[in-house]
Amino acid sequence: MIKAVLLDLDDTLLRLDTDLFVKNYLKSLTAFIASRYNQATPETFRKVIADAARTTIRNLDPGRFNAAVMSQAIADGTQIPLTELTPLMAEFYAGQYTELSGDAKPVDGAAKLIEHLIAAGLTVVIATNPLFPHAAIMGRLAWAGIDVNNSSLSLITSLDNMHFTKPHPHYYEEILARIGIEADDALMVGDSIENDMIPAAKAGLSTFWITWDRILPDGVTPNGMGTLLDLDRCVAEGWLSTLQARPRTPDQVAPRMLGNVAALDGIIAEMDPSSWHVHPDPNEWSPMEIVCHLRDTEATVQRPRLMRILQEDNPFIAQPPPPPGPYEQDFSSEDGYAAVRAFASERAITLDFLAGLGAEDWNRPARHSIFGPTT
């Protein structure tokens, strides 16, 4: 059952000549930087920024936000210290960037679709490629006629709050983990075959392609296609309830397990540091207890189970002893941020193990005390 709808921005909610926009964007940004730092030409800065974007797209480190990756790459390429680059970029996005709207215009039905999805109780995410900071994306949402102050939007992805980008399925997994929705309960809506349809489907999401009167390429099978108005009508007619879950495959495992780590890192980054030892309820764990549990059980429970299935014939996987309850362990000397990093390191070891499995290994059977027969 679909519980969340992810909406691309450019050429989905906002009609934009992307090539022209990027050209004008790079021209404006490089001219702005060059006007403050004359040690290189605008052409040089343009190459640095393009290279920084490519570096950010390649990054799959769940502990580094896109903003950190891109800023460091620009700083390295321009020799502008990060302490000067950060406020400089903020000034650009608050000023010259706002003049780049050009021929951008709202897509018919975009704002109404979002209203209808939220009214239907669905989680709505603005899932634009997070290569621009939050302020820039909020500006483009305003160009699209979307109420940027609508607190009912569950997440707006940006350079500042995401660790991955399109076209990686990891990007979609990070979103799903942030909003607490399973892949087969989510629909991705977008115009790009390469950035939206293919990677979202690989992650297990249903998809709706905004066609703009184009022909569907061979080998791509979205669940639906048409305009935003078509989608709005389909939703009203109950189409979402007809969507079937995509098969789960081994290829989904690494992006999902990395996406979960990235989402945890994102949540922790936004958390008030004073909340580490706060219990939302006397019977619930604190954030510190949760991250230490994840760190410890990855090494002592989760990975050994997988290794046992590989080494034994149809083993019986019993439940481990219940973990200590709230307040039962003393974590007063723990550093929560270090615990998250340690969990990420343990998860990386697990993923290295899984990467070494052959196709036949994924089908090795086991019996689980709760879930029954499994592989």
Side-chain angles (χ1 to χ4, degrees):
M1 179 180 178
I2 298 299
K3 300 176 182 177
V5 177
L6 284 55
L7 296 164
D8 177 50
L9 177 53
D10 298 332
D11 281 329
T12 297
L13 301 175
L14 175 69
R15 195 62 166 140
L16 189 70
D17 185 331
T18 304
D19 291 339
L20 179 60
F21 172 77
V22 171
K23 179 182 177 180
N24 290 336
Y25 162 74
L26 289 174
K27 181 179 179 181
S28 180
L29 176 58
T30 54
F32 175 77
I33 295 177
S35 69
R36 304 298 182 88
Y37 293 87
N38 57 12
Q39 66 264 45
T41 65
E43 289 71 23
T44 301
F45 283 123
R46 190 176 295 113
K47 181 180 185 303
V48 167
I49 294 168
D51 289 344
R54 285 189 284 268
T55 297
T56 306
I57 291 171
R58 287 194 298 267
N59 176 63
L60 289 178
D61 183 346
R64 294 190 74 197
F65 283 99
N66 292 335
V69 177
M70 182 172 285
S71 295
Q72 190 63 62
I74 295 175
D76 291 344
T78 62
Q79 299 303 304
I80 301 174
L82 275 174
T83 53
E84 298 177 17
L85 180 65
T86 300
L88 185 69
M89 297 294 281
E91 182 182 345
F92 168 78
Y93 283 110
Q96 280 87 331
Y97 178 84
T98 61
E99 301 170 3
L100 294 174
S101 58
D103 296 328
K105 59 183 180 180
V107 174
D108 193 18
K112 284 295 183 183
L113 172 65
I114 292 176
E115 289 179 13
H116 295 162
L117 295 174
I118 292 172
L122 294 163
T123 296
V124 178
V125 173
I126 303 300
T128 183
N129 208 0
L131 292 172
F132 289 87
H134 180 75
I137 291 171
M138 295 296 276
R140 293 218 296 284
L141 282 170
W143 300 346
I146 307 300
D147 181 3
V148 295
N149 297 313
N150 189 341
S151 59
S152 296
L153 291 171
S154 296
L155 180 66
I156 300 171
T157 65
S158 71
L159 195 69
D160 305 303
N161 64 7
M162 297 295 291
H163 298 73
F164 309 126
T165 68
K166 301 175 183 181
H168 299 293
H170 306 60
Y171 164 78
Y172 294 95
E173 297 290 2
E174 182 176 1
I175 291 174
L176 295 175
R178 285 297 302 262
I179 63 176
I181 298 290
E182 297 290 341
D184 50 14
D185 290 333
L187 172 72
M188 177 60 197
V189 181
D191 71 292
S192 173
I193 295 295
E194 295 77 14
N195 283 337
D196 301 321
M197 298 298 97
I198 293 175
K202 284 183 178 179
L205 287 77
S206 297
T207 55
F208 187 96
W209 183 46
I210 303 300
T211 63
W212 296 115
D213 297 323
R214 293 170 294 171
I215 303 299
L216 185 67
D218 292 338
V220 181
T221 55
N223 298 88
M225 64 179 73
T227 67
L228 289 185
L229 293 174
D230 294 330
L231 174 60
D232 203 355
R233 185 179 64 256
C234 288
V235 171
E237 294 173 352
W239 174 69
L240 295 182
S241 65
T242 69
L243 298 176
Q244 301 296 311
R246 295 182 185 273
R248 296 184 177 180
T249 68
D251 289 341
Q252 295 172 346
V253 173
R256 187 156 298 168
M257 293 178 76
L258 278 175
N260 288 337
V261 176
L264 176 63
D265 188 66
I267 292 169
I268 294 303
E270 296 176 1
M271 186 181 76
D272 186 331
S274 66
S275 299
W276 275 110
H277 296 282
V278 172
H279 294 256
D281 180 272
N283 296 315
E284 293 183 2
W285 283 346
S286 67
M288 182 67 76
E289 290 168 326
I290 291 172
V291 298
C292 289
H293 174 77
L294 290 171
R295 176 197 63 194
D296 297 340
T297 57
E298 184 78 15
T300 62
V301 177
Q302 310 300 349
R303 189 164 63 247
R305 282 177 170 176
L306 301 176
M307 297 175 71
R308 187 179 170 201
I309 297 172
L310 183 66
Q311 296 163 356
E312 299 180 23
D313 290 329
N314 199 23
F316 178 75
I317 308 298
Q319 279 292 91
Y327 303 101
E328 292 183 9
Q329 289 180 289
D330 181 12
F331 289 117
S332 58
S333 62
E334 288 276 6
D335 180 329
Y337 302 102
V340 173
R341 292 193 296 271
F343 166 55
S345 297
E346 291 294 341
R347 176 57 58 87
I349 297 172
T350 302
L351 287 169
D352 283 343
F353 164 75
L354 293 174
L357 297 181
E360 69 282 357
D361 296 326
W362 288 94
N363 293 316
R364 288 185 62 83
R367 294 161 294 139
H368 193 280
S369 59
I370 293 178
F371 304 114
T374 188
T375 59

